[in-house]
Amino acid sequence: MARIIGGLTTSHIPSIGNAVPREAQLVNDPYWEPFFAGYPPAREWVQKVKPDVAIVIYNDHGLNFFLNNMPTFSIGAAPEYRNADEGWGIPTIPPFQGDPDLSWHIIESVVEDEFDVASCQEMLVDHGFTVPMSLFWPNNSYSGVRTIPVCINTVQHPLPTPMRCFKFGQAIGRAIESYPKDINVLVMGTGGLSHQLDGERAGFINKEFDLLCMDKIVSDPEALARYSIPELVRLSGAQGAEFILWLTMRGALGNKVKKIHSNYYVAISNTATALMVLEKAA
Ligand code: DHB
Ligand code: FE
């Protein structure tokens, strides 16, 4: 049967997509050093656990879905995913291999579990997906891992509640663990932590709340899932609501997890950056 080996979370700020190809120089830059310093242990862990498939839970920011057509939950079921010019100047990187067989298994299982997702046999993936993949697989060395994009609306209200996302993650976890092939599956949740890109509170960051989230996502994720979307926006900024993507990942990992590694750094661009490596515990 398929095994969930653990979870990764990371911020997905577009400027990181431009910095990654220059990481060797930027590790000596005072602005980037504390950010990039967090990643080597996470990359070593990925090499050690050897995922066959990465389920990437992220939000599209207007590349594949726009405001005229915005599904709450969607899952990729394509043989391949590409990125495209989003206007941030992020490089176009090699395509990502899909796993349509596992995609359809997950789609069938979560629909049976009453999560009525959009199934996408064509899907462009944006920085919410590509930046984390480039961070964890240096030099875009991800050709050996199959990917499944799971996209959740965090752009146009109404957003799904944190509890709904946590339960969606639990349904994804059940789907993976009922897949008959003997494969290792990694679950990623991207975005966050606190940030607000526009309006009166542009630049808003809440370190205290971010650290609470990084603590409770290990020990008591349901406490975090009980926040409402307006509370999450108030505490972590309009775009800090991307934390629902982390909660979805955490739902998939099951009751107990062990923290292997984490890093927190304020700020890259407008965002408090955070990285976590979690292992599923018995
Ligand atoms: C930034 C952060 C994001 O999560 C995003 O999607 C776009 C921009 C930023 O801080 O610049
Ligand atoms: Fe974002």
Side-chain angles (χ1 to χ4, degrees), residues 12-14 61 88 127 195 197 242 268-271:
H12 60 216
I13 305 148
H61 304 71
W88 301 99
H127 63 272
H195 62 304
L197 301 179
E242 288 176 347
I268 295 292
S269 184
N270 292 291
T271 302

PDB file of all heavy atoms in Angstrom, residues 12-14 61 88 127 195 197 242 268-271, ligand 1:
ATOM      1  N   HIS A  12       6.245  30.574  -0.372  1.00  0.00           N
ATOM      2  CA  HIS A  12       6.412  30.408  -1.823  1.00  0.00           C
ATOM      3  C   HIS A  12       6.577  31.751  -2.543  1.00  0.00           C
ATOM      4  O   HIS A  12       6.182  31.888  -3.697  1.00  0.00           O
ATOM      5  CB  HIS A  12       5.228  29.618  -2.397  1.00  0.00           C
ATOM      6  CG  HIS A  12       3.891  30.273  -2.182  1.00  0.00           C
ATOM      7  ND1 HIS A  12       2.742  29.561  -1.918  1.00  0.00           N
ATOM      8  CD2 HIS A  12       3.506  31.579  -2.200  1.00  0.00           C
ATOM      9  CE1 HIS A  12       1.726  30.398  -1.797  1.00  0.00           C
ATOM     10  NE2 HIS A  12       2.176  31.632  -1.970  1.00  0.00           N
ATOM     11  N   ILE A  13       7.141  32.736  -1.849  1.00  0.00           N
ATOM     12  CA  ILE A  13       7.258  34.112  -2.373  1.00  0.00           C
ATOM     13  C   ILE A  13       7.942  34.135  -3.754  1.00  0.00           C
ATOM     14  O   ILE A  13       8.992  33.518  -3.934  1.00  0.00           O
ATOM     15  CB  ILE A  13       8.086  34.938  -1.366  1.00  0.00           C
ATOM     16  CG1 ILE A  13       7.441  34.845   0.012  1.00  0.00           C
ATOM     17  CG2 ILE A  13       8.238  36.378  -1.805  1.00  0.00           C
ATOM     18  CD1 ILE A  13       8.425  34.912   1.158  1.00  0.00           C
ATOM     19  N   PRO A  14       7.350  34.831  -4.743  1.00  0.00           N
ATOM     20  CA  PRO A  14       7.921  34.814  -6.097  1.00  0.00           C
ATOM     21  C   PRO A  14       9.387  35.241  -6.152  1.00  0.00           C
ATOM     22  O   PRO A  14      10.163  34.682  -6.939  1.00  0.00           O
ATOM     23  CB  PRO A  14       7.038  35.800  -6.869  1.00  0.00           C
ATOM     24  CG  PRO A  14       5.747  35.823  -6.122  1.00  0.00           C
ATOM     25  CD  PRO A  14       6.074  35.566  -4.683  1.00  0.00           C
ATOM     26  N   HIS A  61      -2.566  31.861  -7.904  1.00  0.00           N
ATOM     27  CA  HIS A  61      -2.712  33.309  -7.688  1.00  0.00           C
ATOM     28  C   HIS A  61      -3.166  34.026  -8.947  1.00  0.00           C
ATOM     29  O   HIS A  61      -2.897  35.202  -9.127  1.00  0.00           O
ATOM     30  CB  HIS A  61      -1.388  33.916  -7.224  1.00  0.00           C
ATOM     31  CG  HIS A  61      -0.781  33.321  -5.989  1.00  0.00           C
ATOM     32  ND1 HIS A  61      -0.225  32.070  -5.946  1.00  0.00           N
ATOM     33  CD2 HIS A  61      -0.633  33.832  -4.750  1.00  0.00           C
ATOM     34  CE1 HIS A  61       0.244  31.830  -4.733  1.00  0.00           C
ATOM     35  NE2 HIS A  61       0.011  32.870  -3.986  1.00  0.00           N
ATOM     36  N   TRP A  88       6.144  37.943 -12.836  1.00  0.00           N
ATOM     37  CA  TRP A  88       7.092  38.222 -11.752  1.00  0.00           C
ATOM     38  C   TRP A  88       8.536  38.090 -12.259  1.00  0.00           C
ATOM     39  O   TRP A  88       9.467  38.264 -11.490  1.00  0.00           O
ATOM     40  CB  TRP A  88       6.946  37.213 -10.602  1.00  0.00           C
ATOM     41  CG  TRP A  88       5.627  37.120  -9.929  1.00  0.00           C
ATOM     42  CD1 TRP A  88       4.660  36.196 -10.166  1.00  0.00           C
ATOM     43  CD2 TRP A  88       5.127  37.941  -8.856  1.00  0.00           C
ATOM     44  NE1 TRP A  88       3.595  36.399  -9.308  1.00  0.00           N
ATOM     45  CE2 TRP A  88       3.853  37.453  -8.504  1.00  0.00           C
ATOM     46  CE3 TRP A  88       5.652  39.048  -8.157  1.00  0.00           C
ATOM     47  CZ2 TRP A  88       3.082  38.025  -7.494  1.00  0.00           C
ATOM     48  CZ3 TRP A  88       4.884  39.614  -7.157  1.00  0.00           C
ATOM     49  CH2 TRP A  88       3.615  39.108  -6.836  1.00  0.00           C
ATOM     50  N   HIS A 127       3.720  30.079  -8.926  1.00  0.00           N
ATOM     51  CA  HIS A 127       4.822  30.112  -7.946  1.00  0.00           C
ATOM     52  C   HIS A 127       4.477  29.385  -6.652  1.00  0.00           C
ATOM     53  O   HIS A 127       5.364  28.937  -5.943  1.00  0.00           O
ATOM     54  CB  HIS A 127       5.250  31.560  -7.667  1.00  0.00           C
ATOM     55  CG  HIS A 127       4.194  32.422  -7.037  1.00  0.00           C
ATOM     56  ND1 HIS A 127       3.269  33.143  -7.755  1.00  0.00           N
ATOM     57  CD2 HIS A 127       3.912  32.673  -5.736  1.00  0.00           C
ATOM     58  CE1 HIS A 127       2.474  33.802  -6.929  1.00  0.00           C
ATOM     59  NE2 HIS A 127       2.836  33.536  -5.694  1.00  0.00           N
ATOM     60  N   HIS A 195       1.463  37.575   6.151  1.00  0.00           N
ATOM     61  CA  HIS A 195       1.760  38.624   5.168  1.00  0.00           C
ATOM     62  C   HIS A 195       0.472  39.244   4.640  1.00  0.00           C
ATOM     63  O   HIS A 195      -0.570  38.614   4.603  1.00  0.00           O
ATOM     64  CB  HIS A 195       2.649  38.147   4.017  1.00  0.00           C
ATOM     65  CG  HIS A 195       2.146  37.057   3.109  1.00  0.00           C
ATOM     66  ND1 HIS A 195       1.737  35.818   3.542  1.00  0.00           N
ATOM     67  CD2 HIS A 195       2.036  37.010   1.748  1.00  0.00           C
ATOM     68  CE1 HIS A 195       1.409  35.058   2.495  1.00  0.00           C
ATOM     69  NE2 HIS A 195       1.572  35.767   1.392  1.00  0.00           N
ATOM     70  N   LEU A 197      -0.328  41.906   1.301  1.00  0.00           N
ATOM     71  CA  LEU A 197       0.330  42.546   0.160  1.00  0.00           C
ATOM     72  C   LEU A 197      -0.306  43.870  -0.239  1.00  0.00           C
ATOM     73  O   LEU A 197       0.279  44.634  -0.997  1.00  0.00           O
ATOM     74  CB  LEU A 197       0.335  41.599  -1.045  1.00  0.00           C
ATOM     75  CG  LEU A 197       1.045  40.247  -0.825  1.00  0.00           C
ATOM     76  CD1 LEU A 197       0.956  39.385  -2.076  1.00  0.00           C
ATOM     77  CD2 LEU A 197       2.499  40.450  -0.440  1.00  0.00           C
ATOM     78  N   GLU A 242      -3.190  32.002   3.681  1.00  0.00           N
ATOM     79  CA  GLU A 242      -2.602  30.829   3.017  1.00  0.00           C
ATOM     80  C   GLU A 242      -2.269  29.726   4.016  1.00  0.00           C
ATOM     81  O   GLU A 242      -2.002  28.581   3.610  1.00  0.00           O
ATOM     82  CB  GLU A 242      -1.323  31.228   2.252  1.00  0.00           C
ATOM     83  CG  GLU A 242      -1.609  32.032   1.005  1.00  0.00           C
ATOM     84  CD  GLU A 242      -0.356  32.529   0.284  1.00  0.00           C
ATOM     85  OE1 GLU A 242       0.756  32.464   0.860  1.00  0.00           O
ATOM     86  OE2 GLU A 242      -0.493  33.003  -0.847  1.00  0.00           O
ATOM     87  N   ILE A 268      11.280  38.002   3.815  1.00  0.00           N
ATOM     88  CA  ILE A 268      11.628  38.084   2.396  1.00  0.00           C
ATOM     89  C   ILE A 268      10.442  38.782   1.730  1.00  0.00           C
ATOM     90  O   ILE A 268       9.299  38.377   1.933  1.00  0.00           O
ATOM     91  CB  ILE A 268      11.846  36.688   1.778  1.00  0.00           C
ATOM     92  CG1 ILE A 268      13.062  35.972   2.394  1.00  0.00           C
ATOM     93  CG2 ILE A 268      11.997  36.806   0.257  1.00  0.00           C
ATOM     94  CD1 ILE A 268      14.426  36.552   2.082  1.00  0.00           C
ATOM     95  N   SER A 269      10.736  39.811   0.961  1.00  0.00           N
ATOM     96  CA  SER A 269       9.685  40.643   0.371  1.00  0.00           C
ATOM     97  C   SER A 269       8.757  41.096   1.496  1.00  0.00           C
ATOM     98  O   SER A 269       9.218  41.665   2.485  1.00  0.00           O
ATOM     99  CB  SER A 269       8.975  39.872  -0.753  1.00  0.00           C
ATOM    100  OG  SER A 269       8.031  40.693  -1.388  1.00  0.00           O
ATOM    101  N   ASN A 270       7.454  40.785   1.403  1.00  0.00           N
ATOM    102  CA  ASN A 270       6.503  41.233   2.440  1.00  0.00           C
ATOM    103  C   ASN A 270       6.136  40.143   3.430  1.00  0.00           C
ATOM    104  O   ASN A 270       5.192  40.323   4.200  1.00  0.00           O
ATOM    105  CB  ASN A 270       5.219  41.699   1.760  1.00  0.00           C
ATOM    106  CG  ASN A 270       5.439  42.953   0.956  1.00  0.00           C
ATOM    107  OD1 ASN A 270       5.666  44.015   1.494  1.00  0.00           O
ATOM    108  ND2 ASN A 270       5.407  42.807  -0.353  1.00  0.00           N
ATOM    109  N   THR A 271       6.839  39.022   3.385  1.00  0.00           N
ATOM    110  CA  THR A 271       6.328  37.818   4.043  1.00  0.00           C
ATOM    111  C   THR A 271       7.273  37.279   5.105  1.00  0.00           C
ATOM    112  O   THR A 271       8.483  37.212   4.891  1.00  0.00           O
ATOM    113  CB  THR A 271       6.076  36.733   2.959  1.00  0.00           C
ATOM    114  OG1 THR A 271       5.159  37.260   2.012  1.00  0.00           O
ATOM    115  CG2 THR A 271       5.517  35.464   3.544  1.00  0.00           C
TER     116      THR A 271
HETATM  117  C1  DHB B   1       4.515  37.568  -1.886  1.00  0.00           C
HETATM  118  C2  DHB B   1       4.071  36.511  -1.082  1.00  0.00           C
HETATM  119  C3  DHB B   1       3.190  35.555  -1.608  1.00  0.00           C
HETATM  120  O1  DHB B   1       2.690  34.500  -0.890  1.00  0.00           O
HETATM  121  C4  DHB B   1       2.754  35.660  -2.927  1.00  0.00           C
HETATM  122  O2  DHB B   1       1.950  34.692  -3.412  1.00  0.00           O
HETATM  123  C5  DHB B   1       3.179  36.714  -3.713  1.00  0.00           C
HETATM  124  C6  DHB B   1       4.041  37.679  -3.197  1.00  0.00           C
HETATM  125  C7  DHB B   1       5.469  38.588  -1.346  1.00  0.00           C
HETATM  126  O3  DHB B   1       5.723  38.678  -0.136  1.00  0.00           O
HETATM  127  O4  DHB B   1       6.026  39.344  -2.177  1.00  0.00           O
END
